[in-house]
Amino acid sequence: MMERFTPVIFFLLVSCVCMISGQTCEGSCGYKFDSCSCRSTCVALKNCCTDYREYCVEVFPYSGSILGGTDLIVLKAIFNKSSELLCRFNSNIDTVGYVDEGGQGHCISPLLYQTGWVSLHISSDNGTTFNRVGTWLSVHTGKLDAKFKAILVNSTKWQYYGTPAVGGSLEMTWNTSLVRAERVNVELWGYRETGKPYANDWQGEWQYLYSLAKNQLNNGSFSFLPKPAQSGFSSWEVGALRVSSSNNSDGRWDVQAAWTEDHALAWHLEDKFRQNSTVWALEKCLAWDQLENELPNFLSEIIDCPCTLAQARADTGRFHTDYGCDIEKGSVCTYHPGSVHCVRAIQASPKYAAGQQCCYDATGTQVLTGDSIGGSTPDRAHDWGSSPFLRPPRVPGQSHWVYDVLSFYYCCLWSDNCHYYFKHRPSSDCRRYRPPSSAVVFGDPHFVTFDGVRYSFNGKGEYTLMTSAKTQLTIQGRTEPVNTTIKATKLTAVAMKETSSDVVEVRLVSGHSGLEVLQNQKTLSFAEQSWMDLQGVSVFSPTSRNVTVMFPSGAGVEVRLRGETVTTTVLLPEEFNDSTLGLLGKMNGDAKDDLALSNGELVRNLSNPEEVFGFGASWAISNESALFTYDSEILLNTYYYVSRHDNSFVPVFSVPKSPDDPLANQTYEICTGEGAEYCRYDILVGRSPRMGNATKVSFQSHVSLAEDLKQVISCGWLGPPNNGKKQGTRYLQGATVHLSCNEGFTLKGSAERKCLRNGSWSGNDTTCVVPSNIAGIVVGSVVGALALILIITMIVLYSRKQKS
């Protein structure tokens, strides 16, 4: 019995000692004392206060569905089995936790009407004190990894159920470990929004509706034959299914559960829908059309779509792949037939929190709703939600369903009345789209500024890559020697923030095997989720070698590990013109002023490496402005306690030319084409063909990116004439559209129109008219008159003859 309480007694003794000395982490997570620390860096520095793990807790898993139901284990903290756990999420939502047989504490995540990291405070005395602090990541159901949710088998069938030729049994599956119970209930929950749109009483709510099965064996699957819902439940048209323990009462919140994605509840709608889904859907479509006529117009404030698929995939600061139509995952585009890839604007519009979706066909051409049901569509509610979340239209996922997706089912998928939908959700073309400018740091290290100036700077230290007073965006870079013998450096870490955002740092891990991401000096794990919404910034990391950071201003930072070097690309929209300084130059279209020292003086001779080196050194940061994390003695001694630019490190400025160099032949083979001088430097000075090849790839990638981001001229959508048709759905410079008329009509205007360089269409407006045929009418009239005269004459002559 004594052994069971030994850890608890030890913890209490340690806590007493810590409190007496004033160095406890209770209530002090994130702070540093004189002799110990409660910051996350203390683990690596080995200077944590003794009770750090007890009060500054981590949980597993660290993420889960926005709908709740995830059972979190509180790691390394010690709990008494009699402890009464209460878990407080986001400072105001409490759920009841528990202590398991092994003494580990557990929390159940609640329904959260927001995504991203939220605070977690844990009480072991039933809410008297919340002295354990951590964080929890709430994830949009569409972005949630499949292993964390229940799956609708053939989800399209679920959402078309009851329409012509769609029926039979439905099936769902789940990982049984998500619900630790022998028997489970399968419940239907519905979502709706009440109150007047854009008024103070506008609210969203989830509600338990009914159970499809009770006391079902937890074998990971369930199938059933759907029936129309009873007692008015069919008025709920969007919702999700939840699998939870049969020991819980119906509809109880905050229990361990596995949720499906939210979806259109076609399979439970009233019998009237099954009898004639087209008529039922048209009535709904007309009601939605009337509602939209009464709501404010949001179209003018959303960003325009990129003109091409290449632009859309390159503009990573403002657009991101839509998980519902991804070319990398087979282009399953349920809501955009004919498209192969769609992207969404990352940021919602400022006033109405609206979204933008842009879709493209196999040729890379934007698909417009004027030509196809699968065209690009704006959204009254951004699918991914928008800070401060919580209320419509900012509720992630669900607001989008209510105002944009259900209406698409009504008007387009369940009936053939898309013209109503596209009247309110027309595609934006790209006439106002302006691609971002790009700059890059790569290799050993080499720079290409926003205005295209190329140079190398091999200083050792920490420097300002770019800064802008416009949005207080700052990006800093750290360079380290390639090794102890080579007088050249490489970029190993990048840190950044904008206005009051979290600080995001991306750095090379030990052994150069991948990249590590830190948020405010704390390491982030992407083992569970590839996308994270942080405070004022989002991060996407699909692999350990690939990180993209996105800011509300539209700025994007791509960090890629190539070989053993870090390549960093910065993308800035045109709003940053004339506001950038640093190693990546002034973004203003004028290459002459790019290399400006921090004191404003310009480099006079770009071909002088020593002068360029002085320019780079001038952008060394200070301790006060540093954004980096110093969580090792090496980093502290190399950067924090000394000058940020190492004046004692003098690099090799030029490439040695020696035909006897054993790497000369490889250099000749690898380093070809534009940018070969950087590749040669990295092989012959860095002594690494692998580094040289990585430099070549990085440079070529930047050239390709710049090509993809070139401005494209669009003449805008050109529709067919009334009573006619057209051939061609590309509306960019050089494209030709052919116009013709239906049988019985004559074409007036231009039968062929070409998109010109000035953004206008050649030729004249085209119309189709009924042939006038005036000549035929005149001839017919004359012939008729002559025939009448002839008949009258013959009658008169015949009459006279009879008289005579």
Side-chain angles (χ1 to χ4, degrees), residues 38 106 112 157 252 358 365 405 407 438 476 488 553 675 707 763 788:
C38 298
H106 293 249
L112 293 165
K157 181 179 178 181
R252 178 182 167 188
C358 312
T365 301
V405 185
S407 48
S438 62
Q476 299 173 350
S553 64
E707 184 66 26
L788 180 61

Side-chain angles (χ1 to χ4, degrees), residues 373-387:
I373 187 177
S376 313
T377 49
D379 300 317
R380 180 169 293 282
H382 197 300
D383 184 21
W384 301 338
S386 175
S387 179

Side-chain angles (χ1 to χ4, degrees), residues 100-365:
D100 63 23
E101 290 297 318
Q104 284 191 306
H106 293 249
C107 291
I108 305 296
S109 68
L111 165 69
L112 293 165
Y113 291 89
Q114 66 184 96
T115 58
W117 289 98
V118 299
S119 62
L120 170 61
H121 293 80
I122 302 171
S123 168
S124 57
D125 53 16
N126 199 28
T128 302
T129 57
F130 287 86
N131 53 7
R132 291 177 172 88
V133 180
T135 53
W136 164 251
L137 182 65
S138 173
V139 184
H140 186 295
T141 56
K143 293 180 180 179
L144 189 69
D145 193 286
K147 63 188 176 186
F148 294 107
K149 57 189 174 185
I151 304 298
L152 302 177
V153 179
N154 190 357
S155 61
T156 301
K157 181 179 178 181
W158 286 73
Q159 301 181 87
Y160 277 81
Y161 200 96
T163 61
V166 183
S169 295
L170 296 176
E171 182 183 2
M172 59 183 288
T173 61
W174 63 91
N175 186 329
T176 56
S177 66
L178 295 176
V179 184
R180 291 192 300 274
E182 291 186 9
R183 295 195 168 272
V184 295
N185 294 344
V186 180
E187 304 169 335
L188 175 63
W189 291 68
Y191 178 83
R192 66 184 176 187
E193 293 184 352
T194 59
K196 183 179 179 181
Y198 304 101
N200 291 331
D201 63 343
W202 197 11
Q203 299 289 338
E205 66 168 339
W206 278 96
Q207 190 176 114
Y208 166 76
L209 302 184
Y210 56 86
S211 291
L212 293 170
K214 291 188 177 183
N215 209 30
Q216 161 92 12
L217 183 65
N218 186 13
N219 59 6
S221 69
F222 172 67
S223 61
F224 69 108
L225 188 65
K227 298 178 181 179
Q230 301 297 316
S231 306
F233 286 129
S234 63
S235 63
W236 298 78
E237 297 170 5
V238 62
L241 294 174
R242 188 181 83 164
V243 182
S244 60
S245 172
S246 296
N247 294 327
N248 301 317
S249 57
D250 292 348
R252 178 182 167 188
W253 273 115
D254 305 333
V255 297
Q256 187 183 31
W259 290 85
T260 67
E261 285 192 39
D262 34 4
H263 61 280
L265 303 178
W267 54 271
H268 100 143
L269 295 179
E270 60 185 327
D271 196 50
K272 184 180 177 183
F273 175 78
R274 297 192 182 189
Q275 291 172 2
N276 195 328
S277 58
T278 301
V279 172
W280 184 96
L282 176 58
E283 290 179 2
K284 292 284 187 177
C285 177
L286 293 174
W288 173 80
D289 172 54
Q290 182 60 40
L291 173 64
E292 280 291 318
N293 289 331
E294 299 169 2
L295 296 179
N297 189 328
F298 64 90
L299 297 176
S300 62
E301 69 167 6
I302 56 176
I303 187 174
D304 262 22
C305 286
C307 291
T308 65
L309 176 57
Q311 283 182 333
R313 300 188 73 185
D315 192 351
T316 53
R318 294 184 289 181
F319 294 90
H320 187 75
T321 299
D322 178 12
Y323 49 79
C325 183
D326 184 354
I327 198 171
E328 300 293 338
K329 297 180 179 178
S331 299
V332 181
C333 306
T334 302
Y335 304 113
H336 296 277
S339 298
V340 299
H341 192 76
C342 295
V343 297
R344 289 190 183 277
I346 295 169
Q347 305 299 328
S349 67
K351 182 177 181 180
Y352 294 114
Q356 177 67 285
Q357 187 182 43
C358 312
C359 297
Y360 303 85
D361 64 19
T363 69
T365 301

